[in-house]
Amino acid sequence: MADNAELTALSESVRGLLARHRAANGDDGMSLWRRLCAEIGVAGLAVPERYGGAGAGPAEVRVVQEELGRVLADTPMLGSAVLATEALLASGDEAACARLLPGLAAGTDVAALAWTTADGNWDPGEVACRAVAAEAGATADGEWLVHGEAHYVLDGDVATVLLVPARVEGGIGLVEGGIGLVEGGIGLFEVGPDAPGVAVSGVTAMDQTRRLATVQIADARGRRIGSRAELTRAKDLACIALAAEQAGAAARALEITVEYTKT
């Protein structure tokens, strides 16, 4: 973790870039995101160096989120760089991480985690989708069929990488080499956002700076990542990041109020 001086420098760098960009470009969230990634590397803060990231941690992410909250910036930081990235890291799948994380760390790709049901509980034990083996070998390197409808998908309408936690029914089924025991539980699957059977539709949120989408998946082919989806840590870190964003917004609101009362 960086020391206080480094965190202060990071905060000042992000605040300065936000001010310059908004003065020149207004509130174009995706162009801002590209600058934040290219000039400061915010998307790769939580990504290990071996995958092209900075190898930092929650403290650095918190600083960035506070600054984004101050201006209500419309960027994929929370959905892609925190929630989806942490879910991918928690999978422990080295090959998938090596394939997907460099693009996410650079900001050239945006990931979305299609997780929750219409109830919006964000419960690590409750997911909106299910998956079944598409063919023999699916539990290894083969394909799966994913089906379901995920709601409140952060940055789903701009995602180039779609990660889907889905329930896998245990029992006798297709495994590598023929018929065998399929382990049940919740797995993590990569599904193409533009793949046949996938429909992504943006939804209007009360917070106009938060991109949300509904993702409908009708037996789309998916690629399993790791052996089990570990969502608890991803949720916890996303909550920390969201709290930091809210703290930044509240601090700026207080500053505006004080400035107004002085006139």
Side-chain angles (χ1 to χ4, degrees):
M1 185 179 73
D3 58 28
N4 288 336
E6 291 174 325
L7 293 177
T8 299
L10 175 60
S11 175
E12 292 173 348
S13 296
V14 174
R15 186 175 300 190
L17 189 152
L18 290 172
R20 294 191 302 274
H21 182 87
R22 298 192 83 189
N25 304 96
D27 294 320
D28 184 348
M30 291 309 295
S31 67
L32 170 61
W33 179 243
R34 288 189 287 270
R35 286 194 64 181
L36 285 166
C37 295
E39 298 180 28
I40 300 179
V42 298
L45 286 176
V47 176
E49 293 181 14
R50 66 182 182 278
Y51 300 129
E60 290 79 4
V61 171
R62 173 188 60 79
V63 166
V64 173
Q65 281 292 106
E66 283 187 16
E67 294 302 327
L68 295 177
R70 286 176 58 87
V71 299
L72 301 179
D74 176 13
T75 72
M77 183 70 185
L78 180 63
S80 180
V82 180
L83 188 61
T85 293
E86 291 296 342
L88 182 55
L89 284 168
S91 73
D93 190 325
E94 290 288 333
C97 287
R99 178 168 51 85
L100 297 173
L101 284 175
L104 297 180
T108 53
D109 284 318
V110 172
L113 189 66
W115 170 359
T116 191
T117 65
D119 293 335
N121 292 328
W122 298 94
D123 182 343
E126 179 182 319
V127 295
C129 298
R130 59 179 175 79
V132 296
E135 57 188 17
T139 54
D141 296 326
E143 292 182 320
W144 294 72
L145 294 179
V146 182
H147 185 90
E149 181 174 288
H151 295 259
Y152 314 110
V153 181
L154 290 166
D155 308 307
D157 59 337
V158 295
T160 57
V161 175
L162 186 62
L163 302 179
V164 184
R167 185 165 298 280
V168 179
E169 297 299 330
I172 301 298
L174 295 171
V175 298
E176 187 174 15
I179 302 296
L181 181 64
V182 177
E183 182 181 1
I186 297 176
L188 186 65
F189 298 84
E190 179 190 359
V191 177
D194 300 320
V198 178
V200 180
S201 55
V203 298
T204 301
M206 183 176 294
D207 178 359
Q208 295 296 296
T209 67
R210 183 73 71 210
R211 289 180 177 270
L212 296 177
T214 297
V215 177
Q216 296 173 311
I217 306 174
D219 289 332
R221 289 187 175 269
R223 182 175 185 177
R224 190 161 189 175
I225 295 176
S227 59
R228 186 177 297 273
E230 300 293 345
L231 301 174
T232 300
R233 176 176 168 81
K235 177 184 176 180
D236 289 346
L237 291 174
C239 286
I240 292 171
L242 181 60
E245 180 184 280
Q246 293 173 330
R252 181 55 185 149
L254 177 60
E255 291 172 6
I256 293 172
T257 302
V258 171
E259 291 169 1
Y260 177 77
T261 59
K262 289 181 178 180
T263 57

